[in-house]
Amino acid sequence: MNGGLVLSKQLSVDNSHLLTGPLHVAFDVTNKCMARCLHCFNRSGNELPREELTNEEFMDIIRQIAEVKVFSICYCGGEPMVRYNQLLEATRILKQAGVVNVAMVSNGWLMTEEKVNALHEAGLNHIQISLDGADAETHERMRGIKGIFDRALNAMEYVNNSGANLAVAFSPTHFNIHQF
């Protein structure tokens, strides 16, 4: 019973002063992607005729996000690593502005050890890699591209070695749920 009272007391404490701006921004930095995922809700891909933000527009948005002191941001897409140079610069700007959590969701295709290390050194805290099967056949069926299973595994190793936090995303389907 005492534990319940302590918990109730802790929950009633107002910590809203700790947040100086919006809590979280999920920023789709591109629609480009080399994969053709069965479950892609925004139909990402390189051949779709969509206007992308220019690098200048991209960085302008990042500066605005930094200015409002968002607590957390996640680079999403498409495949965010398509814009690696902008991500690196954006991460430095956000961390200098005091953004606590800078994260990214990726399929791992474009990751190298050097790029992951540079992003982490710039301030990227968390990287989520998609892995939709325990073997290449299953994962590549979901992602629509040969070779992406091994690249995802390599990317996970790079993230672990960099010191950034690694998360793994798994999208269950009737053909992969038994591998969860």
Side-chain angles (χ1 to χ4, degrees), residues 124-137:
L124 194 78
N125 314 70
H126 304 276
I127 301 176
Q128 176 183 299
I129 305 295
S130 301
L131 188 65
D132 298 307
D135 56 51
E137 181 182 352

Side-chain angles (χ1 to χ4, degrees), residues 28-32 45 50-54 57 82-83:
D28 284 357
V29 300
T30 184
N31 286 314
K32 293 179 180 170
R50 296 184 182 165
E51 286 188 39
E52 294 276 317
L53 292 173
T54 66
E57 291 168 330
V82 167
R83 297 192 86 158

